[in-house]
Amino acid sequence: MLKVLPDQIANLIAAGEVIQRPASVVKELIENSVDANATSITVLINDYGRTLIQIIDDGSGMTNQEAALCFERHATSKISKAEDLYNITTYGFRGEALASIAACSDVILKTKRIEDEVGTEVHIAEGKIIDTSETSTAVGTNIAVRNIFYNIPARRKFLKSDNTELRQIISEFTKVALTRNDIKFRLTHNSKDIMSLTPTENIKQRIVQIEGKNAAKDLIDIHTETSIATVDGYVGNPQLAKKNQGNQYFFVNNRYFRSPQFNKAILKAYETIIPSGTYPSYYIFLTIDPSNTDVNIHPTKTEIKFENESAIFQILNASVKEAIGLGSFSQSIDFDVDGTPDFPTVNADFNNREKYLKSPKINFNPLFNPFDKEKEIFEKLSEEFEPQTQESLFATPLRSNLSEMTINENEGELSCLTLRGRYIITPVKSGIMLIDAIKAKRRILYEHYSAAISCNNIPIQENMFPEAIDIDAESFSLLMNYAQQLKNIGFDIREFGEKCIVVYGIPTILSDEKISARECINNLITDLREMEIENGENRVGNALSAQIKDKMALDMVKSDSISHNFSVSNIEARLLIDELFECKSPNLAIEGGLCAAIIPVGELVKFLN
Ligand code: ADP
Ligand code: MG
């Protein structure tokens, strides 16, 4: 039988789209407060948003009729006619957030306008108003949302770990706080301050409030005006590109959005100057005539359609290149009739470029798993090998840096050949063995570090002067979540006020390597994030110790300076082969692929045919 669904069910369905988790409530309610011209917004969270999400603002407030009406679906004060849809300047316009929130939680709303003597209190349960009364309350709106999804068990089960839900809340809060540095924001969890942001003069200062003092070094101003769009904000210093993709934000007319396309435009600008596997941070604020955008294509409005997408792509790419000193961006771009910009060629300024060039870092495959045949291959390789290298003519320290080695060339008899200083070619019983010296060196270092790290008790090197490190709230909550497990593997990290940790100790093996505490912590944060992605957050606890040890070993190989233009002499090649064959998996490169392979005689003679 065909029938129109009752409002209550319709609202529950809508709630499924708009309200996916506690963070969605935080987003919608903060946006409402901004739309109501609040100058101060406080967000109180209990139990990761599961029991309480309360938002208090000093905005316009509502009349008593509005206070009851605002929970109706499609009740909005922000648009009134179809054309308004093409000129949206507020966050909200669909009038569905409050209806959706009320459909899946208990809500108490208190609100008062400046011109009213008394305020209104509305209590909603099961999507229906159960009580409305006059109340004394401050000017503005105060909404308390309790027990989210109490009536939708499936959705409750769908929630991720506490840690992840809190991080999502922080992330939504941050996205609005970044756009409105003129507003005072506060976020607390279980009555503890997570962020307290006073108004700032500019967005850069707001970023520093959120990300910590170090962020300032990583912000290069970007400003470009064209007839299609104005681009403002900050892009990351190429020298500070990170291993993770945090802190990449696009806003259009102050609304956060995601765009794989525009992300590509930015990454392309950095393509040749940052090591692969690292990412720049960026905070891009586009200002575009709202009639050239459509924010109505996605339930949470985080995907946006742009009229001139390809032109904006090019504008972004060129302005980032200019900002990081790679090219010049003409202020007077001509647009032809189709609206496609006629761009001046962006010429890379190579003198400037040099400034940013760093030796590329290596991309490792942390998922690497030695395959079963490994032992067999090792045995085969060793057996194949001619005696002169097996005999280890020179006793070498396991941890030797090739470039530092000083060996008397006359000491040994040479039987191998090096190619371009990097590849080692040496005859074996069944053909010719080819070794990539760089990959081999990394394999050797990796096994050395792994062995050192995995010895059961990792000694902690106590810091004589414990170092305080400012980090962003999200990373803070991630680290604190694993503090005990990290201690077991040698990191003594303790909480020190909001967004600040003190490093009392790091594993001795790391301190020996002269890696700074800050670098260790950054690596840890990245590793923990990657592990949560690989394992699912709830399972990281068990896998933490083994995996993090492995990642630590990989991090140490990465920070060892094996430059791409290193060259191996014949003598060094021989030593390297000795060391390689002491490894458990001499043929496998830690980045994936092989560091040593044999070309059989049969294959070689084919060249003569
Ligand atoms: P939308 O934001 O799309 O209009 P909502 O369901 O989020 O829809 O809110 C419905 C209406 O309730 C808003 O249009 C606004 O008039 C009113 N409202 C919601 N939150 C507030 C607030 N914090 N202060 C003042 N008015 C509010
Ligand atoms: Mg809204």
Side-chain angles (χ1 to χ4, degrees):
M1 191 180 47
L2 179 71
K3 60 177 181 198
V4 175
L5 290 173
D7 267 0
Q8 212 174 330
I9 301 181
N11 284 339
L12 267 180
I13 294 172
E17 291 217 301
V18 187
I19 306 299
Q20 290 158 354
R21 49 174 19 108
S24 327
V25 175
V26 172
K27 169 184 189 285
E28 294 296 335
L29 295 184
I30 297 181
E31 290 186 350
N32 278 348
S33 299
V34 176
D35 283 347
N37 297 319
T39 63
S40 164
I41 300 173
T42 301
V43 181
L44 309 175
I45 304 293
N46 280 355
D47 304 314
Y48 311 91
R50 288 170 206 267
T51 56
L52 177 75
I53 301 163
Q54 185 167 13
I55 276 84
I56 304 161
D57 71 45
D58 62 351
S60 63
M62 289 178 258
T63 63
N64 57 356
Q65 286 108 326
E66 285 169 340
L69 188 64
C70 67
F71 293 101
E72 293 287 325
R73 204 138 72 96
H74 308 311
T76 181
S77 54
K78 299 169 193 173
I79 59 170
S80 52
K81 48 189 189 305
E83 300 89 82
D84 294 347
L85 270 179
Y86 303 103
N87 192 24
I88 286 173
T89 54
T90 50
Y91 281 116
F93 58 87
R94 295 187 189 137
E96 61 186 2
L98 290 185
S100 302
I101 292 168
C104 61
S105 55
D106 273 343
V107 181
I108 294 179
L109 163 79
K110 290 185 191 175
T111 187
K112 187 169 100 108
R113 301 184 312 161
I114 195 158
E115 55 268 56
D116 295 334
E117 292 247 311
V118 285
T120 310
E121 175 165 338
V122 179
H123 187 177
I124 306 241
E126 303 197 347
K128 292 199 200 91
I129 295 183
I130 52 170
D131 189 33
T132 310
S133 57
E134 286 190 343
T135 189
S136 65
T137 180
V139 170
T141 300
N142 177 336
I143 299 194
V145 176
R146 290 196 164 80
N147 306 327
I148 183 170
F149 303 138
Y150 74 96
N151 54 348
I152 318 178
R155 184 105 337 187
R156 237 179 15 242
K157 271 192 218 131
F158 187 69
L159 294 180
K160 300 263 176 66
S161 71
D162 289 346
N163 187 39
T164 304
E165 293 302 333
L166 184 63
R167 275 193 283 145
Q168 298 271 4
I169 290 172
I170 297 172
S171 162
E172 292 300 344
F173 176 93
T174 304
K175 285 170 191 164
V176 185
L178 278 174
T179 65
R180 293 299 300 265
N181 58 294
D182 55 328
I183 297 179
K184 183 178 164 194
F185 284 95
R186 186 166 168 223
L187 172 65
T188 75
H189 179 245
N190 293 341
S191 307
K192 257 172 78 180
D193 263 336
I194 292 188
M195 278 199 229
S196 186
L197 312 172
T198 49
T200 63
E201 269 168 40
N202 53 47
I203 292 191
K204 188 171 185 168
Q205 291 168 350
R206 178 52 59 90
I207 296 173
V208 169
Q209 280 180 331
I210 295 173
E211 301 295 338
K213 284 193 288 294
N214 286 314
K217 284 185 245 141
D218 194 22
L219 302 175
I220 297 174
D221 283 35
I222 180 166
H223 175 78
T224 304
E225 277 172 49
T226 72
S227 57
I228 287 183
T230 301
V231 183
D232 277 301
Y234 304 93
V235 288
N237 179 342
Q239 284 170 317
L240 298 178
K242 298 182 198 67
K243 280 202 296 170
N244 61 57
Q245 300 188 43
N247 302 341
Q248 298 185 330
Y249 296 94
F250 283 117
F251 303 92
V252 59
N253 302 336
N254 273 350
R255 186 192 299 279
Y256 169 82
F257 70 101
R258 277 191 309 232
S259 169
Q261 258 324 85
F262 292 171
N263 176 52
K264 235 182 256 161
I266 300 215
L267 297 192
K268 247 171 103 68
Y270 283 88
E271 208 165 52
T272 51
I273 55 163
I274 61 172
S276 70
T278 65
Y279 305 88
S281 24
Y282 58 78
Y283 304 80
I284 301 283
F285 295 81
L286 294 170
T287 310
I288 296 180
D289 180 346
S291 64
N292 290 331
T293 65
D294 187 351
V295 290
N296 203 15
I297 58 167
H298 189 261
T300 58
K301 311 185 192 97
T302 44
E303 279 162 33
I304 288 173
K305 221 169 108 194
F306 293 87
E307 182 98 8
N308 301 302
E309 185 166 284
S310 63
I312 298 169
F313 182 100
Q314 295 185 54
I315 292 168
L316 275 173
N317 182 259
S319 16
V320 174
K321 277 185 174 159
E322 195 208 9
I324 58 180
L326 282 183
S328 55
F329 188 93
S330 162
Q331 295 285 332
S332 53
I333 295 164
D334 296 323
F335 292 90
D336 66 20
V337 277
D338 293 318
T340 317
D342 177 16
F343 276 93
T345 329
V346 177
N347 283 319
D349 167 354
F350 282 97
N351 291 332
N352 214 346
R353 185 166 175 251
E354 289 288 293
K355 200 168 68 186
Y356 295 114
L357 280 177
K358 269 173 94 185
S359 59
K361 280 198 185 156
I362 313 136
N363 228 351
F364 292 92
N365 174 10
L367 294 175
F368 151 74
N369 241 329
F371 44 86
D372 296 343
K373 280 187 153 175
E374 178 192 315
K375 199 160 185 291
E376 203 182 295
I377 291 173
F378 169 55
E379 275 158 12
K380 191 158 171 264
L381 280 174
S382 317
E383 186 189 302
E384 287 269 0
F385 214 56
E386 296 281 293
Q388 68 265 29
T389 49
Q390 290 281 13
E391 275 167 19
S392 275
L393 290 173
F394 317 117
T396 57
L398 187 56
R399 248 230 76 198
S400 53
N401 197 328
L402 279 180
S403 50
E404 286 166 11
M405 255 188 235
T406 48
I407 285 168
N408 181 352
E409 291 267 339
N410 299 323
E411 265 184 74
E413 182 193 319
L414 300 181
S415 60
C416 42
L417 172 69
T418 60
L419 203 64
R420 296 185 181 183
R422 170 164 180 178
Y423 300 96
I424 304 167
I425 298 171
T426 187
V428 290
K429 277 185 211 155
S430 63
I432 281 180
M433 179 152 66
L434 179 66
I435 297 171
D436 182 327
I438 291 184
K439 289 183 177 172
K441 186 68 198 167
R442 288 184 193 135
R443 157 60 58 188
I444 294 162
L445 287 177
Y446 169 75
E447 294 213 1
H448 163 71
Y449 290 136
S450 291
I453 292 170
S454 65
C455 55
N456 274 335
N457 230 339
I458 299 186
I460 294 187
Q461 172 70 49
E462 296 289 343
N463 278 353
M464 290 257 276
F465 306 100
E467 192 175 340
I469 299 179
D470 289 318
I471 50 174
D472 62 276
E474 195 187 332
S475 307
F476 179 85
S477 112
L478 184 71
L479 278 179
M480 285 306 120
N481 202 38
Y482 293 109
Q484 189 47 50
Q485 283 135 308
L486 291 174
K487 187 144 190 205
N488 296 341
I489 57 164
F491 290 93
D492 187 353
I493 300 169
R494 298 181 216 167
E495 189 173 335
F496 186 67
E498 55 172 302
K499 290 188 292 162
C500 187
I501 53 161
V502 176
V503 183
Y504 282 89
I506 58 174
T508 309
I509 174 102
L510 290 180
S511 70
D512 288 351
E513 293 303 320
K514 306 275 174 291
I515 299 177
S516 73
R518 179 174 298 280
E519 198 181 337
C520 277
I521 298 305
N522 283 342
N523 284 338
L524 261 185
I525 292 168
T526 313
D527 292 344
L528 286 170
R529 281 210 184 105
E530 278 171 12
M531 283 162 58
E532 285 202 342
I533 293 166
E534 284 162 26
N535 294 275
E537 333 73 68
N538 293 327
R539 305 222 304 277
V540 171
N542 308 333
L544 181 73
S545 156
Q547 271 201 27
I548 207 115
K549 283 179 188 169
D550 192 51
K551 281 174 184 291
M552 270 161 59
L554 286 172
D555 285 336
M556 288 166 72
V557 179
K558 273 183 263 186
S559 49
D560 209 282
S561 52
I562 313 167
S563 96
H564 259 291
N565 46 22
F566 104 132
S567 175
V568 57
S569 72
N570 287 355
I571 290 268
E572 290 162 346
R574 195 125 148 217
L575 293 170
L576 188 84
I577 292 171
D578 278 355
E579 286 186 300
L580 184 63
F581 278 81
E582 279 170 24
C583 288
K584 285 191 202 137
S585 318
N587 60 319
L588 298 177
I590 55 173
E591 313 78 331
L594 299 174
C595 40
I598 292 172
I599 307 164
V601 180
E603 288 299 314
L604 284 168
V605 293
K606 281 187 193 161
F607 287 100
L608 302 174
N609 294 334

